[in-house]
Amino acid sequence: MTAHVSFEFYPPKTDEQRTQLDRAAARLKAHAPEYVSCTFGAGGSTLSYTSETVRHLNQHHGFEAAPHLSCVGGNREEIRELLKLYRAIGCRRIVALRGDLPSGMGFPGDLRYAAELVQLIRAEHGDRFRIEVAAYPETHPQAEDALADLRHFKAKVDAGADAAITQYFYNADAYFRFVDDARRLGVEVPIVPGIMPVSNFTQLRRFSEACGAEIPRWIGKRMQAFGDDAEAIREFGADLVAGLCRRLVAGGAPGLHFYTLNLARPTEAVLARL
Ligand code: FAD
């Protein structure tokens, strides 16, 4: 397989979670990712966890580590401070997002959309950071419609994004169609598919409802049929996702970004099949 891989982790908060991340990071290192990224909780709750984790992934594990930075709920000064910190610890890449406000949080923040965050980073830091933004082959759940969402995606690229990582999906045609539509609008940056390996199907279904990713009916039905047979679910999931990756790469996807959820095994099972 010729495409590069990258891995996404979330910031651990307990000692147990830290051990889990270290174990996963050490095992996934064998796959030589181009970079790894670390998510960021909107509303400030994981503010310091993200930077600590990025530093740890870089210094302890030797990865190029990119923080996710979401602008919703924060003011310009907080965002500027974080950018200064990321510069100081040597980051060269940022995943710039709007984020989602936790329910009940009143202050929407100074920046309403990710495009404004990209603009701010470019205006104040020039080309210091490579900027990745999010893309939605199956359309972001809050978008007016698919075409408006595509135009808003283009606005992030016009504001200075270098590349995009997609929300996960299990339907390769949605990705290919999205890339074709983006190219027709004049978007030339790489659009890397986000890959969610399947391990815990109940959790996956919950996530998917929240973020608007579709699990095709036939996959749901097969999963249901496996019942509590975790091993059968893992095997089927790994075959399914490896097949998806193969199709994506054969169709021109420039890389694969794995949502690891801080677990090595589900991602390794997919990579082992490629
Ligand atoms: P935007 O690009 O700003 O778009 C958000 C919505 O607003 C879309 O519906 C869009 O169509 C619409 N929109 C954009 N511009 C306009 C405009 N000018 N007028 C009207 N409507 C507009 N969330 C986190 O909290 N932390 C993370 O670490 C995180 N990492 C992620 C990583 C990836 C690869 C992806 C795909 C998502 C991630 N998310 C994360 C989730 C993301 O924050 C949510 O999906 C969020 O709802 C949208 O973020 P965005 O950056 O795509 O927003």
Side-chain angles (χ1 to χ4, degrees):
M1 198 188 64
T2 50
H4 73 75
V5 296
S6 51
F7 299 127
E8 181 171 311
F9 298 112
Y10 67 85
K13 293 184 190 155
T14 62
D15 285 344
E16 199 181 321
Q17 287 181 352
R18 276 184 203 98
T19 308
Q20 184 188 34
L21 171 65
D22 278 336
R23 209 180 303 129
R27 281 173 57 168
L28 291 170
K29 182 107 200 263
H31 296 281
E34 180 178 302
Y35 73 99
V36 299
S37 76
C38 178
T39 61
F40 179 87
S45 61
T46 62
L47 220 104
S48 67
Y49 292 113
T50 299
S51 58
E52 279 165 24
T53 307
V54 161
R55 210 192 303 241
H56 180 72
L57 288 166
N58 181 293
Q59 291 175 2
H60 183 76
H61 291 283
F63 289 122
E64 179 188 349
H68 292 208
L69 175 54
S70 55
C71 56
V72 75
N75 62 43
R76 272 197 179 73
E77 273 326 298
E78 287 165 349
I79 292 165
R80 287 194 174 109
E81 283 307 308
L82 270 178
L83 289 167
K84 245 199 270 174
L85 172 66
Y86 290 139
R87 225 181 141 132
I89 63 177
C91 296
R92 313 280 323 185
R93 190 189 283 255
I94 283 187
V95 183
L97 303 146
R98 184 196 70 177
D100 293 304
L101 268 189
S103 57
M105 224 181 113
F107 178 57
D110 285 343
L111 307 179
R112 287 182 63 198
Y113 298 111
E116 295 167 47
L117 176 60
V118 175
Q119 242 164 22
L120 182 148
I121 299 173
R122 279 287 174 252
E124 301 189 2
H125 294 272
D127 289 335
R128 159 74 199 205
F129 298 108
R130 178 181 165 88
I131 303 177
E132 316 275 340
V133 290
Y136 300 85
E138 294 179 338
T139 306
H140 184 265
Q142 289 156 11
E144 302 102 286
D145 58 53
L147 284 180
D149 203 33
L150 196 65
R151 279 197 303 275
H152 297 142
F153 168 59
K154 181 179 187 305
K156 295 192 276 195
V157 176
D158 291 345
D162 295 295
I165 306 168
T166 75
Q167 183 58 277
Y168 67 87
F169 55 85
Y170 295 100
N171 180 352
D173 291 328
Y175 169 80
F176 291 127
R177 182 71 205 212
F178 180 84
V179 173
D180 284 351
D181 288 347
R183 300 291 178 243
R184 262 195 290 275
L185 276 187
V187 172
E188 290 175 357
V189 302
I191 300 173
V192 176
I195 305 295
M196 181 70 89
V198 179
S199 53
N200 178 334
F201 189 64
T202 312
Q203 187 191 41
L204 179 67
R205 196 157 35 199
R206 213 178 41 239
F207 269 3
S208 303
E209 272 161 25
C211 70
E214 187 195 20
I215 301 183
R217 178 182 158 85
W218 69 273
I219 297 177
K221 289 286 178 197
R222 289 292 288 271
M223 290 291 182
Q224 231 173 12
F226 292 130
D228 294 333
D229 187 348
E231 187 53 35
I233 291 177
R234 274 199 295 271
E235 283 292 307
F236 173 74
D239 286 343
L240 177 86
V241 176
L244 173 69
C245 292
R246 252 184 246 115
R247 243 196 103 189
L248 292 170
V249 173
L256 299 168
H257 180 81
F258 285 88
Y259 296 106
T260 71
L261 306 177
N262 293 5
L263 297 171
R265 240 172 81 167
T267 296
E268 281 176 334
V270 173
L271 289 171
R273 284 164 166 78
L274 294 180

